[in-house]
Amino acid sequence: MTTSILHANLKEHFGFEQFRQHQEDIIQTVLSGQDTVAIMPTGGGKSICFQLPALLLPGITIVISPLIALMKDQVDSLKANGIPACFINSTQSSEEQQFYIDALREGTIKLVYVAPESLSYLDQAFNSLQISLIAIDEAHCISAWGHDFRPAYTNLGYLKNRFRATPVLALTATADKATRADIVQQLNLINPKIVVASFDRKNLSLEVRPALDRVKQIIDFIENRPDESGIVYCLSRKTTEELAQKLQQKGIKAKAYHAGLESKLRAKTQDDFINDDCPIVCATIAFGMGIDKSNVRWVIHYNLPKNIEGYYQEIGRAGRDGLPSETLLFESYADMIQLQKFASEGLNSEVQLAKLQRMKQYADALSCRRKILLSYFGELVTENCGNCDICKNPPVFFDGTILAQKALSAITRLQENEPLTLIIDFLRGSKNASIYDKEYQNLKSYGIGADISWFDWNQYLIQLINLGYCEIAFHQKNRILLTPLARKVLFEGEKVKLTAVVKKPAPTIDFKEKAPSRASSGLFDVLRKLRYTISKEDEVPAYVIFSDATLRHMEKTRPMSEAEFLTIEGVGKAKLEKYGSEFIEAIIEFQKNKPVTPRVKKESSTYKETLALFNENLSVEEIAVRRKLGVSTVISHIAKLYSDDLLNDVSSFVNSSEVDHIREAQKELQPNAPLKSYFDYFEEEMPYSKIRMGLAVIEKEH
Ligand code: ADP
Ligand code: ZN
């Protein structure tokens, strides 16, 4: 099929101008009738690879998918794009199932989603249906190697035997070779083309922080990103509940999710998340597989994940719409000890421990994190990414030889018998029971590191472990042992380079938790609210109507006619017809009323009164007295009148150099920061009235 026909269909049905990496290649292979294995990261755009062929092929496309919840959302998304689709599963009555089977036979529906357990419902119908394509989503579920093994998947091999001439497309985000081989073999694929997309998700920022005051850090993070949707992954069920509760106490809309909750509650939490009613979920890794929500703006790992595969899949749930999204991992020594224990007690412990080790190396990295991630998936990258914490703040090295000597000789004095915490106490000369009980205060080296804080010693010792000078004996109460390398430092004068300790992020000016600039004109919020309203009316998730990326594109280009609207990324024919007029109207309305919010309209007479007095040359204070209003209210009126073009000079309130200062502050502060933030920024030197007026002036310049 020609490229231009494919592109025309991509735009008409899905609203996209360009294929993402490998999509076209996969689609062409499928259309040529060849079996295909598509390996793409979460959010890479797998669905289009079978949805577009489904429209072009003569018969029907069967999509095998593991989760019923996911099917419903995919079918809703297709319908929103005007593509008839259905799913068949055990929750439906037999009449309902028959209705859909008839529709498939008649060709009014071309795409059917079915769970492997429910394939038998289609068994009879198979004989009379023309099946053009079999797509097997989450194909790694077939492999016992993988992390989501589902026994029902192992029966799927019969499909290829039964429909020899029908191409099978297997899709997965799991990249390892053993799983890949299992997929090919167990599905009986014939000479399949294997397409492996890059696992690089450039729009995801990567950051790792020490897990000190995690809860506070998380609260700060969330409070600086109001209205954004995110997931906090926790290791234990208990933590999800405790954290959700702490967030709620701060007035943050968050809920807990884990496999131990009652299934109705779980489903409700998931729905509320998908529908933007509850933007934040604190969850165990049980959460997420059945979720396609494209506007998850951040993912936090409260605990260190068990392995890089899991970690990458979890952070991959952020930013599927391709917009910049953040990921943050908290690393703690205690987590590591616990995970080591789990891994060594579980099945296949050697492999699990090795995987955990790789995870830890990632967290401790001193070079570009994305390079480490991608090399794990077999991709070699030479350039630093510029979008991870290491690239943004490269570590500063110093000569840590003396520090290392002190630490290693302390370990020697303690006969390699003590865990990290006691070594630090010993170095610092702490006078506590664990020292005195063993009379360690009498040993040489006691207190030789008293000038360094506990926190810093902790970090230096972890670095020494990572550098291989000492190691943790996990099976022996976590005592710290020296390695042969330690000798070189203690006796052979080897130099040790350490990195300066990253200070614990505190709410100080220079480490202020700041959201990356996603500056909004206000139109985005208007469009988002409209999307929410429509989603409630239509009973579909908001992202099914338009993704955040689509709304951002509208905000930027402000389409005001149908032709313009159709040029928006994510707007195809069906969505233009369904939603075009409402969104266009909202945009026109916004343009027209830009500075006038509805509240202002209602109260416009109060502004007029202020204006009349102002025009009589009364001072602000006089107007306030006359009108029995606060001075700040009168100031806000004047700013508003200026925005509304009813006043054209406010230079008596704020001069141009002050406006310049405010403009600078605006660049530093987050979008829509409250006046208080500006006031603090100027260290209380700039009065509120000037800030308010200055912002009005800047706003009008745009
Ligand atoms: P996956 O199944 O690989 O995790 P999806 O198929 O759910 O990914 O696609 C992820 C997101 O990317 C969806 O919001 C989808 O609409 C969007 N998308 C897919 N293909 C394109 C494209 N060619 N251009 C723009 N957006 C796309
Ligand atoms: Zn980087």
Side-chain angles (χ1 to χ4, degrees), residues 294-295 297 321-323 524 531 546-555 568-569:
S294 69
N295 63 338
R297 289 273 70 86
D321 51 18
L323 294 180
F524 181 76
R531 177 178 69 177
F546 287 128
S547 71
D548 277 13
T550 298
L551 298 190
R552 286 285 179 208
H553 198 189
M554 288 181 204
E555 175 182 45
I568 299 290
E569 186 81 16

PDB file of all heavy atoms in Angstrom, residues 294-295 297 321-323 524 531 546-555 568-569:
ATOM      1  N   SER A 294      -3.677   8.689  28.873  1.00  0.00           N
ATOM      2  CA  SER A 294      -2.513   9.263  28.188  1.00  0.00           C
ATOM      3  C   SER A 294      -1.970  10.504  28.881  1.00  0.00           C
ATOM      4  O   SER A 294      -0.882  10.943  28.586  1.00  0.00           O
ATOM      5  CB  SER A 294      -2.870   9.587  26.739  1.00  0.00           C
ATOM      6  OG  SER A 294      -3.779  10.661  26.698  1.00  0.00           O
ATOM      7  N   ASN A 295      -2.755  11.081  29.828  1.00  0.00           N
ATOM      8  CA  ASN A 295      -2.289  12.343  30.417  1.00  0.00           C
ATOM      9  C   ASN A 295      -1.753  12.197  31.837  1.00  0.00           C
ATOM     10  O   ASN A 295      -1.913  13.081  32.657  1.00  0.00           O
ATOM     11  CB  ASN A 295      -3.411  13.392  30.370  1.00  0.00           C
ATOM     12  CG  ASN A 295      -4.611  12.979  31.200  1.00  0.00           C
ATOM     13  OD1 ASN A 295      -4.798  11.808  31.473  1.00  0.00           O
ATOM     14  ND2 ASN A 295      -5.415  13.922  31.605  1.00  0.00           N
ATOM     15  N   ARG A 297       0.943  12.817  34.129  1.00  0.00           N
ATOM     16  CA  ARG A 297       2.031  13.788  33.954  1.00  0.00           C
ATOM     17  C   ARG A 297       3.280  13.428  34.757  1.00  0.00           C
ATOM     18  O   ARG A 297       4.344  13.936  34.484  1.00  0.00           O
ATOM     19  CB  ARG A 297       1.586  15.213  34.346  1.00  0.00           C
ATOM     20  CG  ARG A 297       0.596  15.852  33.380  1.00  0.00           C
ATOM     21  CD  ARG A 297       1.293  16.587  32.217  1.00  0.00           C
ATOM     22  NE  ARG A 297       1.950  15.703  31.281  1.00  0.00           N
ATOM     23  CZ  ARG A 297       1.383  15.113  30.245  1.00  0.00           C
ATOM     24  NH1 ARG A 297       0.133  15.327  29.972  1.00  0.00           N
ATOM     25  NH2 ARG A 297       2.068  14.315  29.455  1.00  0.00           N
ATOM     26  N   ASP A 321       1.029  10.658  25.907  1.00  0.00           N
ATOM     27  CA  ASP A 321       0.637  11.612  24.866  1.00  0.00           C
ATOM     28  C   ASP A 321       1.851  12.320  24.262  1.00  0.00           C
ATOM     29  O   ASP A 321       1.716  13.134  23.367  1.00  0.00           O
ATOM     30  CB  ASP A 321      -0.358  12.641  25.426  1.00  0.00           C
ATOM     31  CG  ASP A 321       0.144  13.277  26.715  1.00  0.00           C
ATOM     32  OD1 ASP A 321       1.364  13.186  26.996  1.00  0.00           O
ATOM     33  OD2 ASP A 321      -0.684  13.851  27.446  1.00  0.00           O
ATOM     34  N   GLY A 322       3.027  11.995  24.766  1.00  0.00           N
ATOM     35  CA  GLY A 322       4.239  12.571  24.177  1.00  0.00           C
ATOM     36  C   GLY A 322       4.642  13.904  24.785  1.00  0.00           C
ATOM     37  O   GLY A 322       5.696  14.437  24.469  1.00  0.00           O
ATOM     38  N   LEU A 323       3.830  14.456  25.675  1.00  0.00           N
ATOM     39  CA  LEU A 323       4.181  15.735  26.303  1.00  0.00           C
ATOM     40  C   LEU A 323       5.202  15.498  27.421  1.00  0.00           C
ATOM     41  O   LEU A 323       5.251  14.419  28.003  1.00  0.00           O
ATOM     42  CB  LEU A 323       2.933  16.389  26.903  1.00  0.00           C
ATOM     43  CG  LEU A 323       1.868  16.848  25.916  1.00  0.00           C
ATOM     44  CD1 LEU A 323       0.696  17.478  26.657  1.00  0.00           C
ATOM     45  CD2 LEU A 323       2.443  17.838  24.911  1.00  0.00           C
ATOM     46  N   PHE A 524      -6.004  26.390  28.080  1.00  0.00           N
ATOM     47  CA  PHE A 524      -5.881  24.948  28.303  1.00  0.00           C
ATOM     48  C   PHE A 524      -6.873  24.493  29.371  1.00  0.00           C
ATOM     49  O   PHE A 524      -7.555  23.485  29.216  1.00  0.00           O
ATOM     50  CB  PHE A 524      -4.452  24.600  28.708  1.00  0.00           C
ATOM     51  CG  PHE A 524      -4.233  23.134  28.942  1.00  0.00           C
ATOM     52  CD1 PHE A 524      -4.119  22.261  27.879  1.00  0.00           C
ATOM     53  CD2 PHE A 524      -4.146  22.632  30.235  1.00  0.00           C
ATOM     54  CE1 PHE A 524      -3.918  20.899  28.090  1.00  0.00           C
ATOM     55  CE2 PHE A 524      -3.949  21.270  30.458  1.00  0.00           C
ATOM     56  CZ  PHE A 524      -3.829  20.405  29.382  1.00  0.00           C
ATOM     57  N   ARG A 531     -13.652  19.354  28.111  1.00  0.00           N
ATOM     58  CA  ARG A 531     -13.429  17.927  27.864  1.00  0.00           C
ATOM     59  C   ARG A 531     -14.012  17.083  29.001  1.00  0.00           C
ATOM     60  O   ARG A 531     -14.661  16.068  28.770  1.00  0.00           O
ATOM     61  CB  ARG A 531     -11.927  17.675  27.742  1.00  0.00           C
ATOM     62  CG  ARG A 531     -11.567  16.217  27.554  1.00  0.00           C
ATOM     63  CD  ARG A 531     -10.074  16.043  27.399  1.00  0.00           C
ATOM     64  NE  ARG A 531      -9.349  16.315  28.639  1.00  0.00           N
ATOM     65  CZ  ARG A 531      -8.030  16.166  28.770  1.00  0.00           C
ATOM     66  NH1 ARG A 531      -7.305  15.793  27.743  1.00  0.00           N
ATOM     67  NH2 ARG A 531      -7.444  16.417  29.922  1.00  0.00           N
ATOM     68  N   PHE A 546     -10.078  13.867  23.803  1.00  0.00           N
ATOM     69  CA  PHE A 546      -8.841  14.406  23.240  1.00  0.00           C
ATOM     70  C   PHE A 546      -7.729  14.198  24.255  1.00  0.00           C
ATOM     71  O   PHE A 546      -7.959  14.300  25.461  1.00  0.00           O
ATOM     72  CB  PHE A 546      -8.960  15.909  22.963  1.00  0.00           C
ATOM     73  CG  PHE A 546      -9.821  16.247  21.773  1.00  0.00           C
ATOM     74  CD1 PHE A 546     -10.857  17.167  21.880  1.00  0.00           C
ATOM     75  CD2 PHE A 546      -9.598  15.649  20.537  1.00  0.00           C
ATOM     76  CE1 PHE A 546     -11.656  17.480  20.786  1.00  0.00           C
ATOM     77  CE2 PHE A 546     -10.394  15.960  19.434  1.00  0.00           C
ATOM     78  CZ  PHE A 546     -11.423  16.871  19.562  1.00  0.00           C
ATOM     79  N   SER A 547      -6.527  13.980  23.776  1.00  0.00           N
ATOM     80  CA  SER A 547      -5.392  13.864  24.697  1.00  0.00           C
ATOM     81  C   SER A 547      -4.957  15.262  25.129  1.00  0.00           C
ATOM     82  O   SER A 547      -5.345  16.260  24.512  1.00  0.00           O
ATOM     83  CB  SER A 547      -4.235  13.147  24.010  1.00  0.00           C
ATOM     84  OG  SER A 547      -3.680  13.996  23.026  1.00  0.00           O
ATOM     85  N   ASP A 548      -4.146  15.305  26.178  1.00  0.00           N
ATOM     86  CA  ASP A 548      -3.589  16.598  26.599  1.00  0.00           C
ATOM     87  C   ASP A 548      -2.802  17.229  25.453  1.00  0.00           C
ATOM     88  O   ASP A 548      -2.808  18.444  25.267  1.00  0.00           O
ATOM     89  CB  ASP A 548      -2.643  16.421  27.798  1.00  0.00           C
ATOM     90  CG  ASP A 548      -3.387  16.354  29.120  1.00  0.00           C
ATOM     91  OD1 ASP A 548      -4.627  16.192  29.081  1.00  0.00           O
ATOM     92  OD2 ASP A 548      -2.735  16.462  30.174  1.00  0.00           O
ATOM     93  N   ALA A 549      -2.117  16.372  24.687  1.00  0.00           N
ATOM     94  CA  ALA A 549      -1.307  16.897  23.584  1.00  0.00           C
ATOM     95  C   ALA A 549      -2.197  17.637  22.586  1.00  0.00           C
ATOM     96  O   ALA A 549      -1.845  18.705  22.072  1.00  0.00           O
ATOM     97  CB  ALA A 549      -0.561  15.761  22.900  1.00  0.00           C
ATOM     98  N   THR A 550      -3.381  17.068  22.327  1.00  0.00           N
ATOM     99  CA  THR A 550      -4.310  17.708  21.395  1.00  0.00           C
ATOM    100  C   THR A 550      -4.796  19.044  21.953  1.00  0.00           C
ATOM    101  O   THR A 550      -4.840  20.053  21.240  1.00  0.00           O
ATOM    102  CB  THR A 550      -5.489  16.747  21.118  1.00  0.00           C
ATOM    103  OG1 THR A 550      -4.958  15.578  20.497  1.00  0.00           O
ATOM    104  CG2 THR A 550      -6.525  17.369  20.208  1.00  0.00           C
ATOM    105  N   LEU A 551      -5.126  19.063  23.246  1.00  0.00           N
ATOM    106  CA  LEU A 551      -5.588  20.332  23.843  1.00  0.00           C
ATOM    107  C   LEU A 551      -4.477  21.385  23.812  1.00  0.00           C
ATOM    108  O   LEU A 551      -4.730  22.568  23.564  1.00  0.00           O
ATOM    109  CB  LEU A 551      -6.059  20.120  25.280  1.00  0.00           C
ATOM    110  CG  LEU A 551      -7.251  19.181  25.500  1.00  0.00           C
ATOM    111  CD1 LEU A 551      -7.748  19.279  26.942  1.00  0.00           C
ATOM    112  CD2 LEU A 551      -8.410  19.481  24.551  1.00  0.00           C
ATOM    113  N   ARG A 552      -3.258  20.945  24.060  1.00  0.00           N
ATOM    114  CA  ARG A 552      -2.125  21.890  24.016  1.00  0.00           C
ATOM    115  C   ARG A 552      -1.975  22.471  22.615  1.00  0.00           C
ATOM    116  O   ARG A 552      -1.688  23.656  22.440  1.00  0.00           O
ATOM    117  CB  ARG A 552      -0.816  21.190  24.400  1.00  0.00           C
ATOM    118  CG  ARG A 552      -0.687  20.895  25.872  1.00  0.00           C
ATOM    119  CD  ARG A 552      -0.364  22.158  26.671  1.00  0.00           C
ATOM    120  NE  ARG A 552      -0.277  21.854  28.093  1.00  0.00           N
ATOM    121  CZ  ARG A 552      -0.540  22.735  29.055  1.00  0.00           C
ATOM    122  NH1 ARG A 552      -0.922  23.963  28.762  1.00  0.00           N
ATOM    123  NH2 ARG A 552      -0.431  22.382  30.312  1.00  0.00           N
ATOM    124  N   HIS A 553      -2.144  21.601  21.627  1.00  0.00           N
ATOM    125  CA  HIS A 553      -2.033  22.064  20.238  1.00  0.00           C
ATOM    126  C   HIS A 553      -3.125  23.098  19.929  1.00  0.00           C
ATOM    127  O   HIS A 553      -2.887  24.106  19.270  1.00  0.00           O
ATOM    128  CB  HIS A 553      -2.123  20.854  19.306  1.00  0.00           C
ATOM    129  CG  HIS A 553      -1.618  21.117  17.918  1.00  0.00           C
ATOM    130  ND1 HIS A 553      -1.766  20.232  16.888  1.00  0.00           N
ATOM    131  CD2 HIS A 553      -0.981  22.187  17.385  1.00  0.00           C
ATOM    132  CE1 HIS A 553      -1.233  20.732  15.795  1.00  0.00           C
ATOM    133  NE2 HIS A 553      -0.752  21.916  16.063  1.00  0.00           N
ATOM    134  N   MET A 554      -4.330  22.845  20.457  1.00  0.00           N
ATOM    135  CA  MET A 554      -5.424  23.810  20.255  1.00  0.00           C
ATOM    136  C   MET A 554      -5.084  25.129  20.932  1.00  0.00           C
ATOM    137  O   MET A 554      -5.331  26.208  20.397  1.00  0.00           O
ATOM    138  CB  MET A 554      -6.731  23.295  20.865  1.00  0.00           C
ATOM    139  CG  MET A 554      -7.356  22.160  20.116  1.00  0.00           C
ATOM    140  SD  MET A 554      -8.895  21.711  20.960  1.00  0.00           S
ATOM    141  CE  MET A 554      -9.046  20.025  20.403  1.00  0.00           C
ATOM    142  N   GLU A 555      -4.537  25.019  22.139  1.00  0.00           N
ATOM    143  CA  GLU A 555      -4.204  26.229  22.885  1.00  0.00           C
ATOM    144  C   GLU A 555      -3.201  27.070  22.109  1.00  0.00           C
ATOM    145  O   GLU A 555      -3.288  28.297  22.059  1.00  0.00           O
ATOM    146  CB  GLU A 555      -3.607  25.844  24.245  1.00  0.00           C
ATOM    147  CG  GLU A 555      -3.127  27.050  25.040  1.00  0.00           C
ATOM    148  CD  GLU A 555      -2.491  26.659  26.369  1.00  0.00           C
ATOM    149  OE1 GLU A 555      -1.680  25.715  26.389  1.00  0.00           O
ATOM    150  OE2 GLU A 555      -2.805  27.310  27.371  1.00  0.00           O
ATOM    151  N   ILE A 568      -5.468  20.120  13.683  1.00  0.00           N
ATOM    152  CA  ILE A 568      -4.931  19.816  15.012  1.00  0.00           C
ATOM    153  C   ILE A 568      -4.547  18.346  15.107  1.00  0.00           C
ATOM    154  O   ILE A 568      -5.274  17.465  14.646  1.00  0.00           O
ATOM    155  CB  ILE A 568      -6.001  20.150  16.092  1.00  0.00           C
ATOM    156  CG1 ILE A 568      -6.373  21.627  16.053  1.00  0.00           C
ATOM    157  CG2 ILE A 568      -5.538  19.725  17.478  1.00  0.00           C
ATOM    158  CD1 ILE A 568      -5.302  22.563  16.529  1.00  0.00           C
ATOM    159  N   GLU A 569      -3.403  18.107  15.719  1.00  0.00           N
ATOM    160  CA  GLU A 569      -2.915  16.749  15.970  1.00  0.00           C
ATOM    161  C   GLU A 569      -3.931  16.006  16.846  1.00  0.00           C
ATOM    162  O   GLU A 569      -4.277  16.483  17.928  1.00  0.00           O
ATOM    163  CB  GLU A 569      -1.576  16.894  16.705  1.00  0.00           C
ATOM    164  CG  GLU A 569      -0.822  15.640  16.957  1.00  0.00           C
ATOM    165  CD  GLU A 569      -0.035  15.181  15.747  1.00  0.00           C
ATOM    166  OE1 GLU A 569       0.180  15.977  14.800  1.00  0.00           O
ATOM    167  OE2 GLU A 569       0.346  14.005  15.744  1.00  0.00           O
TER     168      GLU A 569
END
